[in-house]
Short mmCIF file of all heavy atoms in Angstrom, two decimals:
data_model
loop_
_atom_site.label_atom_id
_atom_site.label_comp_id
_atom_site.label_asym_id
_atom_site.label_seq_id
_atom_site.Cartn_x
_atom_site.Cartn_y
_atom_site.Cartn_z
N MET A 1332 100.53 123.49 113.89
CA MET A 1332 100.37 122.10 114.29
C MET A 1332 100.08 122.05 115.80
O MET A 1332 100.64 122.77 116.56
CB MET A 1332 101.66 121.34 113.97
CG MET A 1332 101.53 119.85 114.28
SD MET A 1332 102.98 118.91 113.75
CE MET A 1332 102.61 118.78 112.01
N LEU A 1333 99.15 121.19 116.17
CA LEU A 1333 98.81 121.07 117.57
C LEU A 1333 99.93 120.43 118.38
O LEU A 1333 100.66 119.57 117.89
CB LEU A 1333 97.54 120.17 117.73
CG LEU A 1333 96.25 120.72 117.15
CD1 LEU A 1333 95.17 119.64 117.21
CD2 LEU A 1333 95.82 121.93 117.95
N ALA A 1334 100.06 120.84 119.62
CA ALA A 1334 101.05 120.26 120.50
C ALA A 1334 100.68 118.81 120.77
O ALA A 1334 99.49 118.41 120.69
CB ALA A 1334 101.11 121.04 121.79
N GLU A 1335 101.68 118.01 121.14
CA GLU A 1335 101.45 116.59 121.37
C GLU A 1335 100.36 116.35 122.41
O GLU A 1335 99.49 115.48 122.24
CB GLU A 1335 102.76 115.89 121.80
CG GLU A 1335 102.58 114.39 121.92
CD GLU A 1335 103.90 113.69 122.25
OE1 GLU A 1335 104.97 114.26 121.96
OE2 GLU A 1335 103.83 112.58 122.80
N ALA A 1336 100.37 117.13 123.50
CA ALA A 1336 99.35 116.95 124.55
C ALA A 1336 97.96 117.20 124.01
O ALA A 1336 97.00 116.49 124.35
CB ALA A 1336 99.64 117.88 125.71
N SER A 1337 97.82 118.20 123.15
CA SER A 1337 96.49 118.49 122.55
C SER A 1337 96.08 117.36 121.61
O SER A 1337 94.90 116.98 121.59
CB SER A 1337 96.54 119.77 121.75
OG SER A 1337 96.76 120.86 122.57
N ARG A 1338 97.04 116.81 120.89
CA ARG A 1338 96.70 115.75 119.96
C ARG A 1338 96.32 114.48 120.70
O ARG A 1338 95.36 113.78 120.31
CB ARG A 1338 97.89 115.49 119.00
CG ARG A 1338 98.11 116.74 118.14
CD ARG A 1338 99.17 116.48 117.15
NE ARG A 1338 98.56 115.60 116.14
CZ ARG A 1338 99.17 115.31 115.03
NH1 ARG A 1338 100.33 115.78 114.74
NH2 ARG A 1338 98.59 114.50 114.14
N THR A 1339 97.03 114.14 121.77
CA THR A 1339 96.66 112.94 122.53
C THR A 1339 95.34 113.14 123.25
O THR A 1339 94.56 112.21 123.40
CB THR A 1339 97.78 112.51 123.50
OG1 THR A 1339 98.06 113.60 124.40
CG2 THR A 1339 99.04 112.09 122.77
N SER A 1340 95.03 114.38 123.61
CA SER A 1340 93.74 114.67 124.19
C SER A 1340 92.62 114.45 123.16
O SER A 1340 91.56 113.87 123.49
CB SER A 1340 93.72 116.09 124.73
OG SER A 1340 92.45 116.41 125.26
N LEU A 1341 92.85 114.90 121.96
CA LEU A 1341 91.89 114.66 120.89
C LEU A 1341 91.69 113.18 120.61
O LEU A 1341 90.58 112.68 120.40
CB LEU A 1341 92.32 115.35 119.59
CG LEU A 1341 92.21 116.88 119.58
CD1 LEU A 1341 92.87 117.44 118.33
CD2 LEU A 1341 90.75 117.31 119.64
N ALA A 1342 92.80 112.44 120.64
CA ALA A 1342 92.77 111.00 120.42
C ALA A 1342 91.96 110.31 121.54
O ALA A 1342 91.18 109.40 121.28
CB ALA A 1342 94.17 110.41 120.32
N GLN A 1343 92.18 110.78 122.79
CA GLN A 1343 91.43 110.20 123.90
C GLN A 1343 89.95 110.47 123.77
O GLN A 1343 89.12 109.59 124.02
CB GLN A 1343 91.96 110.75 125.24
CG GLN A 1343 91.30 110.12 126.45
CD GLN A 1343 91.60 108.63 126.56
OE1 GLN A 1343 92.74 108.25 126.60
NE2 GLN A 1343 90.57 107.80 126.61
N THR A 1344 89.60 111.67 123.31
CA THR A 1344 88.20 112.00 123.10
C THR A 1344 87.57 111.09 122.05
O THR A 1344 86.44 110.61 122.20
CB THR A 1344 88.06 113.50 122.69
OG1 THR A 1344 88.58 114.31 123.74
CG2 THR A 1344 86.62 113.87 122.39
N ALA A 1345 88.30 110.88 120.96
CA ALA A 1345 87.81 109.96 119.91
C ALA A 1345 87.66 108.56 120.42
O ALA A 1345 86.68 107.88 120.15
CB ALA A 1345 88.78 109.99 118.73
N LEU A 1346 88.62 108.09 121.22
CA LEU A 1346 88.58 106.74 121.77
C LEU A 1346 87.38 106.61 122.75
O LEU A 1346 86.66 105.61 122.71
CB LEU A 1346 89.86 106.38 122.45
CG LEU A 1346 89.94 104.97 123.03
CD1 LEU A 1346 89.73 103.89 121.96
CD2 LEU A 1346 91.29 104.78 123.71
N ASP A 1347 87.20 107.63 123.58
CA ASP A 1347 86.07 107.60 124.53
C ASP A 1347 84.76 107.52 123.77
O ASP A 1347 83.85 106.76 124.16
CB ASP A 1347 86.08 108.83 125.42
CG ASP A 1347 87.26 108.82 126.43
OD1 ASP A 1347 87.87 107.75 126.65
OD2 ASP A 1347 87.56 109.91 126.97
N GLY A 1348 84.62 108.31 122.71
CA GLY A 1348 83.40 108.27 121.90
C GLY A 1348 83.18 106.90 121.27
O GLY A 1348 82.07 106.39 121.22
N TYR A 1349 84.26 106.33 120.77
CA TYR A 1349 84.22 104.99 120.18
C TYR A 1349 83.78 103.95 121.20
O TYR A 1349 82.91 103.11 120.92
CB TYR A 1349 85.59 104.64 119.60
CG TYR A 1349 85.69 103.29 118.95
CD1 TYR A 1349 85.19 103.07 117.69
CD2 TYR A 1349 86.31 102.22 119.61
CE1 TYR A 1349 85.29 101.80 117.10
CE2 TYR A 1349 86.40 100.97 119.03
CZ TYR A 1349 85.90 100.77 117.76
OH TYR A 1349 85.99 99.53 117.19
N LEU A 1350 84.35 104.03 122.37
CA LEU A 1350 83.98 103.07 123.44
C LEU A 1350 82.52 103.23 123.84
O LEU A 1350 81.83 102.22 124.07
CB LEU A 1350 84.89 103.27 124.65
CG LEU A 1350 86.34 102.88 124.46
CD1 LEU A 1350 87.19 103.30 125.65
CD2 LEU A 1350 86.48 101.39 124.19
N ARG A 1351 82.06 104.46 123.93
CA ARG A 1351 80.63 104.68 124.28
C ARG A 1351 79.75 104.14 123.18
O ARG A 1351 78.73 103.48 123.44
CB ARG A 1351 80.37 106.18 124.50
CG ARG A 1351 80.68 106.69 125.88
CD ARG A 1351 80.14 108.09 126.12
NE ARG A 1351 80.62 109.05 125.13
CZ ARG A 1351 81.79 109.68 125.18
NH1 ARG A 1351 82.61 109.45 126.17
NH2 ARG A 1351 82.11 110.55 124.25
N ALA A 1352 80.09 104.41 121.93
CA ALA A 1352 79.28 103.96 120.82
C ALA A 1352 79.24 102.41 120.73
O ALA A 1352 78.22 101.84 120.39
CB ALA A 1352 79.79 104.54 119.51
N GLU A 1353 80.38 101.83 121.06
CA GLU A 1353 80.49 100.37 121.03
C GLU A 1353 79.90 99.72 122.25
O GLU A 1353 79.58 98.54 122.27
CB GLU A 1353 81.97 99.97 120.90
CG GLU A 1353 82.18 98.54 120.63
CD GLU A 1353 83.67 98.19 120.55
OE1 GLU A 1353 84.41 98.55 121.47
OE2 GLU A 1353 84.06 97.52 119.58
N GLY A 1354 79.71 100.49 123.31
CA GLY A 1354 79.18 99.96 124.55
C GLY A 1354 80.25 99.24 125.38
O GLY A 1354 79.93 98.47 126.27
N ALA A 1355 81.51 99.48 125.05
CA ALA A 1355 82.60 98.79 125.77
C ALA A 1355 83.09 99.63 126.89
O ALA A 1355 83.29 100.82 126.74
CB ALA A 1355 83.74 98.48 124.78
N ASP A 1356 83.24 99.01 128.04
CA ASP A 1356 83.79 99.75 129.16
C ASP A 1356 85.00 99.05 129.80
O ASP A 1356 85.41 99.36 130.88
CB ASP A 1356 82.71 100.04 130.21
CG ASP A 1356 82.08 98.77 130.77
OD1 ASP A 1356 82.31 97.70 130.19
OD2 ASP A 1356 81.40 98.86 131.78
N ARG A 1357 85.51 98.06 129.10
CA ARG A 1357 86.71 97.35 129.60
C ARG A 1357 87.89 98.26 129.47
O ARG A 1357 88.08 98.94 128.46
CB ARG A 1357 86.95 96.08 128.79
CG ARG A 1357 85.86 95.05 128.94
CD ARG A 1357 86.19 93.86 128.13
NE ARG A 1357 86.57 94.30 126.78
CZ ARG A 1357 86.17 93.78 125.65
NH1 ARG A 1357 85.37 92.75 125.69
NH2 ARG A 1357 86.57 94.23 124.48
N ARG A 1358 88.74 98.21 130.43
CA ARG A 1358 89.97 99.00 130.40
C ARG A 1358 91.15 98.10 130.65
O ARG A 1358 91.09 97.21 131.47
CB ARG A 1358 89.96 100.11 131.45
CG ARG A 1358 88.84 101.09 131.29
CD ARG A 1358 89.18 102.09 130.25
NE ARG A 1358 88.05 103.00 130.02
CZ ARG A 1358 88.11 104.04 129.26
NH1 ARG A 1358 89.22 104.37 128.66
NH2 ARG A 1358 87.07 104.81 129.09
N GLY A 1359 92.24 98.35 129.99
CA GLY A 1359 93.47 97.61 130.18
C GLY A 1359 94.31 98.28 131.24
O GLY A 1359 93.84 98.99 132.09
N GLU A 1360 95.61 98.02 131.13
CA GLU A 1360 96.55 98.62 132.10
C GLU A 1360 96.52 100.15 132.03
O GLU A 1360 96.41 100.72 130.97
CB GLU A 1360 97.96 98.12 131.80
CG GLU A 1360 98.15 96.63 132.05
CD GLU A 1360 99.56 96.18 131.79
OE1 GLU A 1360 100.47 97.02 131.93
OE2 GLU A 1360 99.71 95.05 131.44
N SER A 1361 96.67 100.75 133.19
CA SER A 1361 96.68 102.24 133.30
C SER A 1361 95.44 102.88 132.68
O SER A 1361 95.52 104.01 132.21
CB SER A 1361 97.96 102.77 132.66
OG SER A 1361 99.09 102.20 133.22
N GLY A 1362 94.36 102.18 132.62
CA GLY A 1362 93.13 102.76 132.09
C GLY A 1362 93.08 102.85 130.57
O GLY A 1362 92.19 103.43 130.01
N VAL A 1363 94.07 102.29 129.90
CA VAL A 1363 94.15 102.36 128.44
C VAL A 1363 93.58 101.04 127.86
O VAL A 1363 94.10 99.98 128.09
CB VAL A 1363 95.59 102.56 127.95
CG1 VAL A 1363 95.64 102.55 126.44
CG2 VAL A 1363 96.19 103.84 128.51
N PRO A 1364 92.47 101.16 127.12
CA PRO A 1364 91.88 99.94 126.51
C PRO A 1364 92.63 99.55 125.26
O PRO A 1364 92.21 99.85 124.15
CB PRO A 1364 90.45 100.40 126.24
CG PRO A 1364 90.58 101.86 126.04
CD PRO A 1364 91.71 102.35 126.91
N THR A 1365 93.76 98.90 125.44
CA THR A 1365 94.67 98.62 124.34
C THR A 1365 93.96 97.93 123.14
O THR A 1365 94.11 98.36 122.01
CB THR A 1365 95.84 97.74 124.80
OG1 THR A 1365 96.43 98.36 125.94
CG2 THR A 1365 96.86 97.55 123.72
N CYS A 1366 93.22 96.88 123.42
CA CYS A 1366 92.58 96.19 122.30
C CYS A 1366 91.53 97.05 121.64
O CYS A 1366 91.26 96.91 120.46
CB CYS A 1366 92.00 94.85 122.76
SG CYS A 1366 90.69 94.98 123.98
N GLN A 1367 90.95 98.00 122.39
CA GLN A 1367 89.96 98.90 121.78
C GLN A 1367 90.65 99.94 120.92
O GLN A 1367 90.04 100.42 119.97
CB GLN A 1367 89.10 99.53 122.87
CG GLN A 1367 88.27 98.53 123.65
CD GLN A 1367 87.38 97.68 122.74
OE1 GLN A 1367 86.89 98.16 121.74
NE2 GLN A 1367 87.16 96.44 123.08
N ILE A 1368 91.87 100.30 121.24
CA ILE A 1368 92.61 101.21 120.36
C ILE A 1368 92.83 100.52 119.03
O ILE A 1368 92.62 101.15 117.98
CB ILE A 1368 93.95 101.63 121.01
CG1 ILE A 1368 93.72 102.55 122.20
CG2 ILE A 1368 94.86 102.31 119.97
CD1 ILE A 1368 94.96 102.86 123.03
N VAL A 1369 93.18 99.25 119.08
CA VAL A 1369 93.34 98.49 117.83
C VAL A 1369 92.01 98.41 117.07
O VAL A 1369 91.97 98.57 115.85
CB VAL A 1369 93.92 97.09 118.11
CG1 VAL A 1369 93.91 96.20 116.87
CG2 VAL A 1369 95.32 97.17 118.69
N GLY A 1370 90.93 98.20 117.81
CA GLY A 1370 89.61 98.17 117.19
C GLY A 1370 89.26 99.48 116.47
O GLY A 1370 88.76 99.48 115.34
N LEU A 1371 89.54 100.60 117.16
CA LEU A 1371 89.27 101.90 116.54
C LEU A 1371 90.15 102.10 115.30
O LEU A 1371 89.64 102.55 114.27
CB LEU A 1371 89.54 103.03 117.57
CG LEU A 1371 89.43 104.45 117.05
CD1 LEU A 1371 88.07 104.72 116.43
CD2 LEU A 1371 89.73 105.43 118.17
N ILE A 1372 91.41 101.79 115.40
CA ILE A 1372 92.30 101.94 114.23
C ILE A 1372 91.82 101.06 113.10
O ILE A 1372 91.74 101.51 111.94
CB ILE A 1372 93.76 101.61 114.63
CG1 ILE A 1372 94.30 102.71 115.55
CG2 ILE A 1372 94.64 101.47 113.37
CD1 ILE A 1372 95.66 102.33 116.18
N THR A 1373 91.43 99.83 113.40
CA THR A 1373 90.94 98.92 112.36
C THR A 1373 89.69 99.50 111.68
O THR A 1373 89.61 99.51 110.43
CB THR A 1373 90.60 97.55 112.96
OG1 THR A 1373 91.80 97.00 113.56
CG2 THR A 1373 90.07 96.60 111.90
N ASP A 1374 88.76 99.98 112.48
CA ASP A 1374 87.54 100.55 111.90
C ASP A 1374 87.85 101.79 111.07
O ASP A 1374 87.23 102.02 110.01
CB ASP A 1374 86.52 100.85 113.00
CG ASP A 1374 85.93 99.58 113.61
OD1 ASP A 1374 86.18 98.51 113.09
OD2 ASP A 1374 85.25 99.70 114.65
N LEU A 1375 88.77 102.61 111.50
CA LEU A 1375 89.16 103.77 110.73
C LEU A 1375 89.82 103.37 109.40
O LEU A 1375 89.57 104.00 108.36
CB LEU A 1375 90.13 104.66 111.54
CG LEU A 1375 89.50 105.44 112.66
CD1 LEU A 1375 90.58 106.10 113.55
CD2 LEU A 1375 88.52 106.49 112.14
N LEU A 1376 90.58 102.32 109.41
CA LEU A 1376 91.21 101.86 108.18
C LEU A 1376 90.18 101.29 107.23
O LEU A 1376 90.27 101.46 106.00
CB LEU A 1376 92.33 100.81 108.48
CG LEU A 1376 93.56 101.38 109.18
CD1 LEU A 1376 94.47 100.24 109.62
CD2 LEU A 1376 94.29 102.35 108.27
N LEU A 1377 89.18 100.62 107.77
CA LEU A 1377 88.07 100.11 106.93
C LEU A 1377 87.31 101.27 106.31
O LEU A 1377 86.91 101.22 105.15
CB LEU A 1377 87.13 99.21 107.74
CG LEU A 1377 87.72 97.85 108.14
CD1 LEU A 1377 86.81 97.17 109.18
CD2 LEU A 1377 87.93 96.98 106.94
N LEU A 1378 87.10 102.31 107.12
CA LEU A 1378 86.44 103.53 106.60
C LEU A 1378 87.28 104.16 105.49
O LEU A 1378 86.74 104.57 104.44
CB LEU A 1378 86.21 104.51 107.74
CG LEU A 1378 85.55 105.84 107.36
CD1 LEU A 1378 84.15 105.65 106.78
CD2 LEU A 1378 85.53 106.77 108.55
N ALA A 1379 88.55 104.25 105.70
CA ALA A 1379 89.47 104.79 104.65
C ALA A 1379 89.35 103.99 103.37
O ALA A 1379 89.26 104.55 102.29
CB ALA A 1379 90.90 104.81 105.17
N GLN A 1380 89.31 102.68 103.52
CA GLN A 1380 89.19 101.81 102.34
C GLN A 1380 87.86 102.02 101.63
O GLN A 1380 87.80 102.14 100.40
CB GLN A 1380 89.33 100.34 102.72
CG GLN A 1380 89.35 99.38 101.57
CD GLN A 1380 89.61 97.98 102.00
OE1 GLN A 1380 89.19 97.55 103.09
NE2 GLN A 1380 90.31 97.22 101.19
N GLN A 1381 86.77 102.17 102.39
CA GLN A 1381 85.46 102.42 101.80
C GLN A 1381 85.45 103.75 101.02
O GLN A 1381 84.72 103.90 100.04
CB GLN A 1381 84.39 102.51 102.87
CG GLN A 1381 83.88 101.17 103.34
CD GLN A 1381 82.75 101.34 104.33
OE1 GLN A 1381 82.52 102.45 104.89
NE2 GLN A 1381 82.02 100.27 104.59
N ARG A 1382 86.27 104.69 101.48
CA ARG A 1382 86.34 106.01 100.87
C ARG A 1382 87.41 106.10 99.78
O ARG A 1382 87.70 107.17 99.28
CB ARG A 1382 86.54 107.08 101.92
CG ARG A 1382 85.36 107.18 102.81
CD ARG A 1382 85.53 108.29 103.83
NE ARG A 1382 84.31 108.42 104.62
CZ ARG A 1382 84.12 109.39 105.47
NH1 ARG A 1382 85.03 110.32 105.65
NH2 ARG A 1382 82.99 109.46 106.16
N GLY A 1383 87.98 104.93 99.42
CA GLY A 1383 88.87 104.88 98.30
C GLY A 1383 90.36 105.01 98.61
O GLY A 1383 91.17 105.08 97.68
N SER A 1384 90.72 105.01 99.86
CA SER A 1384 92.15 105.08 100.25
C SER A 1384 92.68 103.67 100.52
O SER A 1384 91.94 102.80 100.95
CB SER A 1384 92.33 105.90 101.50
OG SER A 1384 92.01 107.26 101.29
N ASP A 1385 93.96 103.50 100.27
CA ASP A 1385 94.60 102.25 100.60
C ASP A 1385 95.00 102.22 102.06
O ASP A 1385 95.79 103.08 102.50
CB ASP A 1385 95.88 102.09 99.72
CG ASP A 1385 96.68 100.86 100.07
OD1 ASP A 1385 96.09 99.83 100.39
OD2 ASP A 1385 97.93 100.97 100.04
N PRO A 1386 94.46 101.28 102.86
CA PRO A 1386 94.75 101.28 104.29
C PRO A 1386 96.25 101.18 104.61
O PRO A 1386 96.71 101.82 105.56
CB PRO A 1386 94.01 100.03 104.80
CG PRO A 1386 92.90 99.82 103.80
CD PRO A 1386 93.49 100.27 102.50
N ILE A 1387 96.98 100.43 103.84
CA ILE A 1387 98.41 100.30 104.11
C ILE A 1387 99.12 101.64 103.90
O ILE A 1387 100.03 102.00 104.66
CB ILE A 1387 99.04 99.19 103.22
CG1 ILE A 1387 98.36 97.82 103.53
CG2 ILE A 1387 100.56 99.11 103.42
CD1 ILE A 1387 98.45 97.38 104.98
N SER A 1388 98.70 102.36 102.88
CA SER A 1388 99.28 103.69 102.63
C SER A 1388 98.96 104.64 103.82
O SER A 1388 99.79 105.45 104.21
CB SER A 1388 98.74 104.31 101.34
OG SER A 1388 99.18 103.57 100.23
N VAL A 1389 97.76 104.52 104.37
CA VAL A 1389 97.39 105.34 105.51
C VAL A 1389 98.27 105.01 106.68
O VAL A 1389 98.77 105.90 107.37
CB VAL A 1389 95.88 105.12 105.84
CG1 VAL A 1389 95.51 105.80 107.15
CG2 VAL A 1389 95.00 105.60 104.70
N ILE A 1390 98.50 103.71 106.92
CA ILE A 1390 99.37 103.29 108.02
C ILE A 1390 100.78 103.81 107.82
O ILE A 1390 101.40 104.36 108.77
CB ILE A 1390 99.40 101.74 108.14
CG1 ILE A 1390 98.04 101.24 108.63
CG2 ILE A 1390 100.52 101.31 109.06
CD1 ILE A 1390 97.85 99.76 108.53
N ARG A 1391 101.29 103.73 106.62
CA ARG A 1391 102.67 104.21 106.36
C ARG A 1391 102.77 105.70 106.59
O ARG A 1391 103.75 106.22 107.13
CB ARG A 1391 103.06 103.85 104.93
CG ARG A 1391 103.36 102.40 104.76
CD ARG A 1391 103.87 102.06 103.39
NE ARG A 1391 104.10 100.62 103.27
CZ ARG A 1391 103.70 99.87 102.27
NH1 ARG A 1391 103.07 100.42 101.24
NH2 ARG A 1391 103.93 98.57 102.26
N LYS A 1392 101.77 106.46 106.13
CA LYS A 1392 101.78 107.91 106.35
C LYS A 1392 101.71 108.22 107.82
O LYS A 1392 102.42 109.11 108.32
CB LYS A 1392 100.60 108.56 105.61
CG LYS A 1392 100.77 108.64 104.13
CD LYS A 1392 99.56 109.26 103.46
CE LYS A 1392 99.64 109.16 101.97
NZ LYS A 1392 98.44 109.70 101.29
N ALA A 1393 100.85 107.53 108.55
CA ALA A 1393 100.73 107.76 109.99
C ALA A 1393 102.04 107.43 110.70
O ALA A 1393 102.45 108.17 111.59
CB ALA A 1393 99.58 106.92 110.56
N GLU A 1394 102.68 106.37 110.29
CA GLU A 1394 103.97 105.97 110.89
C GLU A 1394 105.00 107.07 110.68
O GLU A 1394 105.75 107.44 111.59
CB GLU A 1394 104.46 104.65 110.32
CG GLU A 1394 105.77 104.21 110.93
CD GLU A 1394 106.27 102.90 110.32
OE1 GLU A 1394 106.05 102.65 109.13
OE2 GLU A 1394 106.94 102.17 111.06
N LYS A 1395 105.05 107.60 109.48
CA LYS A 1395 105.99 108.70 109.19
C LYS A 1395 105.73 109.92 110.06
O LYS A 1395 106.67 110.54 110.55
CB LYS A 1395 105.92 109.09 107.69
CG LYS A 1395 106.55 108.08 106.76
CD LYS A 1395 106.41 108.49 105.32
CE LYS A 1395 106.94 107.43 104.39
NZ LYS A 1395 106.76 107.76 102.99
N HIS A 1396 104.47 110.23 110.24
CA HIS A 1396 104.09 111.37 111.08
C HIS A 1396 104.52 111.14 112.54
O HIS A 1396 105.06 112.04 113.18
CB HIS A 1396 102.56 111.63 111.03
CG HIS A 1396 102.12 112.27 109.78
ND1 HIS A 1396 101.63 113.56 109.72
CD2 HIS A 1396 102.12 111.81 108.46
CE1 HIS A 1396 101.33 113.85 108.46
NE2 HIS A 1396 101.62 112.80 107.68
N VAL A 1397 104.28 109.92 113.05
CA VAL A 1397 104.64 109.63 114.42
C VAL A 1397 106.16 109.70 114.60
O VAL A 1397 106.66 110.32 115.55
CB VAL A 1397 104.16 108.20 114.84
CG1 VAL A 1397 104.78 107.77 116.15
CG2 VAL A 1397 102.62 108.22 114.95
N LEU A 1398 106.92 109.14 113.64
CA LEU A 1398 108.38 109.21 113.73
C LEU A 1398 108.87 110.64 113.63
O LEU A 1398 109.81 111.01 114.39
CB LEU A 1398 108.99 108.34 112.62
CG LEU A 1398 108.76 106.83 112.78
CD1 LEU A 1398 109.28 106.09 111.57
CD2 LEU A 1398 109.41 106.30 114.05
N ALA A 1399 108.27 111.41 112.79
CA ALA A 1399 108.70 112.82 112.66
C ALA A 1399 108.40 113.62 113.91
O ALA A 1399 109.20 114.53 114.28
CB ALA A 1399 108.01 113.45 111.45
N GLU A 1400 107.30 113.31 114.56
CA GLU A 1400 106.88 114.09 115.72
C GLU A 1400 107.52 113.59 117.03
O GLU A 1400 107.47 114.31 118.03
CB GLU A 1400 105.36 114.12 115.81
CG GLU A 1400 104.76 114.85 114.65
CD GLU A 1400 103.25 114.83 114.61
OE1 GLU A 1400 102.65 114.60 115.68
OE2 GLU A 1400 102.68 115.01 113.54
N THR A 1401 108.02 112.39 117.02
CA THR A 1401 108.59 111.83 118.27
C THR A 1401 110.07 111.57 118.16
O THR A 1401 110.70 111.24 119.15
CB THR A 1401 107.90 110.52 118.68
OG1 THR A 1401 108.06 109.57 117.65
CG2 THR A 1401 106.41 110.76 118.94
N GLY A 1402 110.60 111.67 116.96
CA GLY A 1402 112.02 111.33 116.73
C GLY A 1402 112.88 112.48 116.96
O GLY A 1402 113.82 112.78 117.50
#
């Protein structure tokens, strides 16, 4: 399993790509585009739904992973 720093680095890379593709360059506090993180998550959940997954189940699984890795 990747270390937390590696995982957050991967997440930042994904977010940066999303922002470039969207053409958004707005940044929130501390350089974190909070509303854009929500936008990326929303789009990923829509993609999951298109591919036959239940978005709520995806959220629940992700929540369990976050709790397990940070708890």
Side-chain angles (χ1 to χ4, degrees):
M1332 183 174 282
L1333 293 172
E1335 185 176 337
S1337 294
R1338 296 184 73 172
T1339 57
S1340 177
L1341 288 171
Q1343 185 63 57
T1344 299
L1346 182 59
D1347 290 344
Y1349 179 77
L1350 292 172
R1351 276 192 303 277
E1353 189 182 50
D1356 58 348
R1357 295 180 312 224
R1358 299 280 176 172
E1360 292 181 29
S1361 303
V1363 177
T1365 307
C1366 63
Q1367 297 304 326
I1368 291 172
V1369 172
L1371 174 57
I1372 291 169
T1373 301
D1374 290 349
L1375 287 170
L1376 291 171
L1377 290 169
L1378 178 62
Q1380 186 174 33
Q1381 279 184 345
R1382 293 183 175 188
S1384 294
D1385 174 38
I1387 300 303
S1388 294
V1389 172
I1390 290 170
R1391 288 184 181 134
K1392 287 178 187 177
E1394 180 181 33
K1395 287 179 185 178
H1396 285 247
V1397 168
L1398 292 174
E1400 294 175 24
T1401 61

